[in-house]
Amino acid sequence: MPFDPFAPKDYVRAMALRPILVLPEPLLRKVSDPVPEVDAAVRALVDDMFETMYEAPGIGLAAIQIGVPKRIVTIDLARKEEPPARQVFINPEIVWASEDLSSYEEGCLSIPSLYEEVERPARIRVRYRDVDGKPQEIEADGLLATCLQHEIDHLEGKLFVDRLSRLKRERALKRWQKARRENDA
Ligand code: GNR
Ligand code: NI
């Protein structure tokens, strides 16, 4: 075949914005699978996750939120005026959690515009692999501890509303569904 400079190239792959799944999407309830190897396909997925997360915008994303049931989390807690600070957690596991709890008003891109106070351990230790596949361990507190726990919940098919009392959860979801119906109408 003659050389065609406009043919699609398989060695340069543009990042892609992916749609974020929103409740009641059943995939959000799926337990994600461990990543056996951090290869080029995983890194391409991580790039898509960051692009999708920044555009949303959100401070964290789990792969299942773009429909991929793999244990991959992206986080960037940098403020708008700061340079990006990408953090990638592959196969993250909480190996220790503090007894003391802290409460934070959480939101989720998969339940847009719902915000509720959630109590979780204030500090955690997490074992994971980084984007190079290297084993790592981190001790997190503050917003990083909250966000990591929120994302690791996604890997188990859990959403932050599951951490509310039944009464609060049912009220919150009713309010959310009503607001959605009114917005669609
Ligand atoms: O963007 C997000 N903000 C947020 C705020 C408080 C606690 C957790 C989060 S994560 C959320 C993005 C998201 O849904 N990640 O799964
Ligand atoms: Ni979320």
Side-chain angles (χ1 to χ4, degrees):
M1 241 187 40
F3 177 66
D4 175 3
F6 300 107
K9 299 178 179 68
D10 57 16
Y11 52 91
V12 280
R13 178 183 171 280
M15 286 194 291
L17 247 189
R18 311 250 207 132
I20 294 176
L21 305 182
V22 167
L23 275 186
E25 166 60 55
L27 261 179
L28 290 169
R29 294 309 189 172
K30 200 177 146 64
V31 177
S32 292
D33 300 319
V35 174
E37 195 193 346
V38 183
D39 56 15
V42 167
R43 284 189 286 271
L45 174 60
V46 164
D47 283 344
D48 288 357
M49 288 173 65
F50 276 113
E51 190 183 8
T52 303
M53 182 182 99
Y54 289 137
E55 204 267 346
I59 58 172
L61 195 74
I64 193 63
Q65 293 181 277
I66 57 168
V68 181
K70 293 185 195 292
R71 303 184 80 85
I72 304 174
V73 165
T74 55
I75 292 180
D76 189 332
L77 302 180
R79 295 163 194 280
K80 274 201 298 267
E81 66 275 13
E82 293 170 344
R86 294 176 174 223
Q87 292 181 277
V88 179
F89 301 87
I90 295 168
N91 300 336
E93 278 178 81
I94 297 173
V95 294
W96 172 82
S98 66
E99 307 253 323
D100 50 312
L101 306 177
S102 93
S103 176
Y104 197 89
E105 186 174 71
E106 298 194 18
C108 182
L109 295 170
S110 296
I111 324 175
S113 307
L114 181 71
Y115 301 92
E116 293 289 335
E117 290 282 333
V118 180
E119 252 195 352
R120 302 179 183 272
R123 283 172 300 133
I124 53 170
R125 264 195 100 68
V126 174
R127 199 168 287 161
Y128 64 99
R129 281 179 189 270
D130 66 18
V131 75
D132 299 314
K134 199 173 156 225
Q136 301 281 2
E137 215 171 281
I138 189 177
E139 190 159 320
D141 62 7
L143 183 54
L144 182 57
T146 295
C147 192
L148 265 170
Q149 291 175 83
H150 175 116
E151 303 311 339
I152 292 169
D153 272 355
H154 276 300
L155 306 183
E156 295 300 316
K158 257 187 157 234
L159 297 161
F160 79 92
V161 288
D162 304 338
R163 301 266 176 208
L164 303 174
S165 70
R166 181 172 165 185
L167 182 67
K168 282 193 180 168
R169 177 173 57 253
E170 284 172 359
R171 279 186 183 157
L173 288 175
K174 272 203 185 108
R175 243 194 302 122
W176 181 73
Q177 279 158 351
K178 181 167 183 282
R180 291 225 108 206
R181 278 196 305 273
E182 285 166 1
N183 263 311
D184 288 347

